[in-house]
Amino acid sequence: MIELKNISYHYPDSTAAIADICFSVSEGEKLVVAGANGAGKSTLFLLLNGILKPRKGEYFFDGKKIGYGKHELLALRQQVGIVFQEPDSQLFSASVYEEVAFGPLNMELSRDEVRQRVDSALAALDIESLKDRPPHLLSYGQKKRVAIASVLAMNPRIIIFDEPTAGLDPAHAAEIIVLLEKLHTAGKTIIISTHDMNFAYQWAGRMVVLHKGCVVGQGTPNEVFANEELLKQSQLELPFILQVFKALNTDAKNPETMDELIAYINTRA
Amino acid sequence: MTVHYFDCYPIQSRICKVHPGFKLGWFVLYTMLGLSSHSVLFLGAELLVFLTITVFTVRISLLHLLRLMAIPASFVLLGSLSVLLELNPVHPVFSLNAGAITFGVSAEGLQQGMLILFRSFSGIAVLYALVLNTSISDMIYVLRKLKVAEVVLDLMVLVYRNIFILSDTAQRIYIAQKSRMGHRNLKTSLRSTAQLGGSAFILAGVRAEQLFHSMESRGYTGRIHSLPAAWETGKRFILVSVILFAALLGIFFLIGLKPNLINS
């Protein structure tokens, strides 16, 4: 679906944010992009959405090379939505309804279609009651949900979430995780960056690890977390489930969820 | 912060569902009435009527409304004072000697000053009735219908949004400075305020750039489109507003055109 070939991006001060990376995403994947702060995750996301133009390399979407003309970029952005980490950087309209309608209106859909999309996005995030309120008067968690609804209303095939649970309390974070699962079940391809390795381990189908703008490792969560050198280099911590399982000093297959870990401990007891 | 208060009122307004075109129309008519009047009494009556209307429709206390009106009040008071006070007036109603110079208020100056004061305040009251009852999105919709240039409307949306970003950034910096004793005395306060001034704009600029990225990612190509809301302008609103306007128009023709009421 998405394929980046030897893409590089430099900031104006010549610092390489993304250095010669090759990266691919398949339809229906649940992909986690992991890495320390400054590893290049956010820059990679901006490249995937066509906000940043790579200095070098090629970007293929559905096998077609992306050009950076106005129409091609608009078409790309309809397919690849991005929910930014900071909702305050994303919300600008005078009301929640207008904010969510912004993307669909840019797609030049009919008014009825826009209204229908906005209503279903508001319902999916359970924020219909906020529709007339100005976004800047909302709580952080509510803003985050409005930001997600504003991308969801564009009905993209791929949705990128930059740290979707950062700054949320556990209850709200759990709601977002449920929503991610729903979106995936509905056929969306989901790409997430997160520092929460417990969540990444249990949720991801595949992980890509970035370090100083390079892809230094990728594979299933079990493959990534088995590579101690990779974890050390990219400053990632072992998920709690694996830390406990490691302390049990067993040769059994790694548990994939907390329930599996508890069940295993019970069988040993 | 004060700016945050303004746009939470239109949501709770009793007339939030009324088409913004009506509200803007009434605003223009009442402003014209106020500007055409030379009577302090009529302007005072208009001021009182609109304070009452705003308190009733927006559901806020009079004290709170007056507090909101205090923002432009300082400019109006200073402006009126400069007209009111004269140097060496010929026939002073009131005067004060300060050496060789005499400050005073002449009857003409008093009439003029009071007229400016009341005209400004009644105008502000009419404006507040519009602003506190109409959301910015409704306002932009009606201005778009009036064929105001798109670039002006888009700038209105972005300026509106960036005011909040700027005020929020400034507030955060102020708290960060205060927590490290940046405002413990006049000297540190002056230095901190200067730093705040510079940094708030830089940080707000960074956030504005992020905002632009997020808009681009949702297909922004230079024009912000909008959907018309579902307004329901009730017959009661039209009836009450027509009666009110007719009453004020009557008062206007009775006393609103006579300039010397203050002396009579």
Side-chain angles (χ1 to χ4, degrees):
Chain A
M1 194 175 196
I2 279 183
E3 197 173 3
L4 302 186
K5 282 186 179 168
N6 307 100
I7 291 264
S8 292
Y9 180 79
H10 294 251
Y11 280 122
D13 64 356
S14 301
T15 327
I18 291 292
D20 200 30
I21 70 164
C22 294
F23 174 86
S24 67
V25 184
S26 311
E27 183 114 42
E29 261 200 298
K30 286 159 82 176
L31 180 73
V32 163
V33 178
N37 291 334
K41 302 185 294 291
S42 298
T43 310
L44 173 66
F45 291 167
L46 292 177
L47 284 164
L48 290 179
N49 189 256
I51 298 287
L52 298 180
K53 188 179 174 186
R55 181 166 294 192
K56 236 175 59 185
E58 290 168 329
Y59 179 1
F60 293 89
F61 190 86
D62 278 346
K64 273 173 71 183
K65 191 179 164 190
I66 295 287
Y68 284 83
K70 190 177 160 189
H71 294 291
E72 281 169 296
L73 282 178
L74 281 176
L76 175 68
R77 286 167 190 162
Q78 286 183 25
Q79 303 290 331
V80 186
I82 177 165
V83 179
F84 290 83
Q85 181 181 346
E86 203 49 61
D88 271 323
S89 316
Q90 184 167 333
L91 310 177
F92 69 93
S93 297
S95 74
V96 167
Y97 197 91
E98 275 189 24
E99 186 67 50
V100 180
F102 176 72
L105 283 169
N106 288 333
M107 290 164 71
E108 294 178 347
L109 302 169
S110 71
R111 284 178 175 182
D112 288 339
E113 170 85 15
V114 171
R115 285 204 175 93
Q116 198 186 331
R117 284 190 181 209
V118 174
D119 289 340
S120 65
L122 293 174
L125 272 297
D126 199 19
I127 48 172
E128 295 116 310
S129 58
L130 305 177
K131 70 182 174 74
D132 294 323
R133 303 202 40 201
H136 52 263
L137 292 178
L138 304 178
S139 74
Y140 187 84
Q142 289 171 330
K143 283 181 191 171
K144 197 99 178 178
R145 282 195 273 172
V146 174
I148 295 175
S150 70
V151 173
L152 213 57
M154 294 176 74
N155 198 18
R157 280 163 67 198
I158 301 177
I159 309 181
I160 301 170
F161 291 86
D162 198 354
E163 309 258 4
T165 54
L168 293 179
D169 59 46
H172 282 114
E175 280 176 17
I176 299 288
I177 292 169
V178 170
L179 174 78
L180 294 177
E181 209 48 60
K182 270 191 199 163
L183 291 174
H184 183 254
T185 314
K188 304 281 181 206
T189 304
I190 314 267
I191 306 174
I192 283 176
S193 78
T194 183
H195 292 295
D196 183 351
M197 290 302 113
N198 294 313
F199 161 66
Y201 177 70
Q202 295 183 68
W203 182 84
R206 189 163 69 94
M207 289 180 71
V208 170
V209 183
L210 290 185
H211 180 62
K212 292 187 177 168
C214 299
V215 176
V216 288
Q218 52 184 311
T220 64
N222 268 318
E223 287 167 351
V224 166
F225 290 114
N227 188 340
E228 284 180 20
E229 203 177 312
L230 172 68
L231 296 183
K232 200 173 164 188
Q233 181 196 15
S234 47
Q235 297 163 359
L236 298 179
E237 64 169 8
L238 209 57
F240 178 73
I241 296 173
L242 291 183
Q243 283 183 37
V244 175
F245 197 68
K246 209 172 162 190
L248 292 171
N249 210 8
T250 167
D251 291 332
K253 183 177 162 272
N254 284 350
E256 286 183 5
T257 61
M258 188 59 88
D259 290 341
E260 281 183 34
L261 175 67
I262 293 167
Y264 177 75
I265 292 171
N266 285 336
T267 56
R268 273 173 57 121
Chain B
M1 295 191 118
T2 317
V3 276
H4 281 243
Y5 293 151
F6 273 87
D7 61 344
C8 60
Y9 292 117
I11 313 164
Q12 66 189 47
S13 161
R14 287 178 205 267
I15 54 169
C16 65
K17 292 280 177 201
V18 170
H19 194 288
F22 281 102
K23 298 182 205 169
L24 192 67
W26 286 125
F27 164 76
V28 172
L29 282 177
Y30 283 111
T31 305
M32 279 167 61
L33 213 57
L35 288 177
S36 325
S37 173
H38 299 283
S39 157
V40 171
L41 261 182
F42 173 77
L43 292 167
E46 193 180 51
L47 173 64
L48 280 178
V49 166
F50 272 88
L51 286 180
T52 316
I53 288 174
T54 310
V55 165
F56 174 72
T57 53
V58 185
R59 304 169 215 248
I60 57 169
S61 69
L62 180 64
L63 191 71
H64 204 125
L65 175 61
L66 292 177
R67 233 182 255 160
L68 288 176
M69 285 179 72
I71 302 164
S74 50
F75 296 100
V76 174
L77 288 174
L78 276 176
S80 309
L81 203 68
S82 61
V83 176
L84 214 65
L85 277 181
E86 282 174 51
L87 273 179
N88 306 320
V90 188
H91 302 294
V93 178
F94 161 81
S95 64
L96 195 72
N97 284 321
I101 307 168
T102 307
F103 289 103
V105 178
S106 70
E108 213 173 53
L110 186 66
Q111 171 78 24
Q112 200 62 27
M114 292 297 274
L115 194 64
I116 289 175
L117 191 75
F118 275 81
R119 190 176 274 166
S120 309
F121 273 118
S122 72
I124 292 168
V126 175
L127 179 70
Y128 269 47
L130 173 75
V131 167
L132 296 178
N133 278 304
T134 319
S135 69
I136 180 95
S137 40
D138 285 1
M139 194 67 84
I140 283 168
Y141 171 78
V142 77
L143 291 176
R144 179 166 281 140
K145 284 279 167 208
L146 292 171
K147 306 279 178 220
V148 173
E150 282 299 329
V151 64
V152 176
L153 299 177
D154 290 353
L155 274 172
M156 269 176 76
V157 174
L158 295 176
V159 165
Y160 167 78
R161 175 64 185 139
N162 280 297
I163 282 172
F164 292 104
I165 293 185
L166 187 65
S167 71
D168 187 51
T169 310
Q171 179 87 337
R172 280 166 200 241
I173 295 172
Y174 179 74
I175 292 168
Q177 288 175 337
K178 214 170 175 187
S179 71
R180 281 175 284 160
M181 296 187 291
H183 294 270
R184 65 182 297 184
N185 56 36
L186 185 66
K187 192 179 160 191
T188 60
S189 199
L190 280 174
R191 195 175 55 210
S192 297
T193 307
Q195 281 176 340
L196 186 148
S199 307
F201 279 101
I202 293 168
L203 290 177
V206 171
R207 280 172 76 173
E209 195 188 337
Q210 290 172 340
L211 177 70
F212 185 64
H213 278 166
S214 99
M215 290 172 72
E216 264 198 308
S217 79
R218 285 179 284 160
Y220 175 67
T221 49
R223 194 196 146 173
I224 299 170
H225 306 266
S226 69
L227 276 176
W231 291 293
E232 298 155 11
T233 311
K235 279 180 186 159
R236 207 170 130 215
F237 172 82
I238 296 174
L239 190 71
V240 171
S241 51
V242 167
I243 292 172
L244 189 77
F245 185 71
L248 263 177
L249 199 65
I251 300 173
F252 174 78
F253 283 119
L254 269 176
I255 57 169
L257 290 165
K258 297 171 191 164
N260 296 320
L261 266 174
I262 197 164
N263 294 335
S264 58

